[in-house]
Amino acid sequence: VVAPMNGVISSWKVTENQQVQKDEMIGIMEAMKMEVPIYAHRTGTIHHLAELNSTLQADSVIAEIS
């Protein structure tokens, strides 16, 4: 899963090792008070969630789904 924009991970809606479905909202990124949802690109188990409140560049890896 990659960051949809430059910004901060403001919340995760899932936990490490949780099963997720394709197109399920898994978190929220924020930039300049604009919130953008993050969606799972496939069904599987989520791993390696980026740290909350970490600043990330667009297209950087923020989680993995296996």
Side-chain angles (χ1 to χ4, degrees):
V1 180
V2 295
M5 64 179 194
N6 294 341
V8 174
I9 302 287
S10 58
S11 71
W12 285 115
K13 304 298 183 185
V14 295
T15 58
E16 189 77 19
N17 298 315
Q18 181 176 329
Q19 284 292 116
V20 295
Q21 300 297 313
K22 182 178 180 181
D23 298 325
E24 178 181 347
M25 187 171 74
I26 60 172
I28 297 176
M29 283 195 78
E30 187 176 317
M32 297 172 27
K33 300 190 182 188
M34 178 178 68
E35 292 186 343
V36 175
I38 303 165
Y39 295 100
H41 64 284
R42 67 182 202 172
T43 298
T45 304
I46 194 122
H47 302 284
H48 308 295
L49 297 171
E51 193 172 324
L52 275 181
N53 300 314
S54 57
T55 302
L56 300 160
Q57 299 296 313
D59 298 323
S60 59
V61 176
I62 56 175
E64 294 179 13
I65 300 174
S66 59

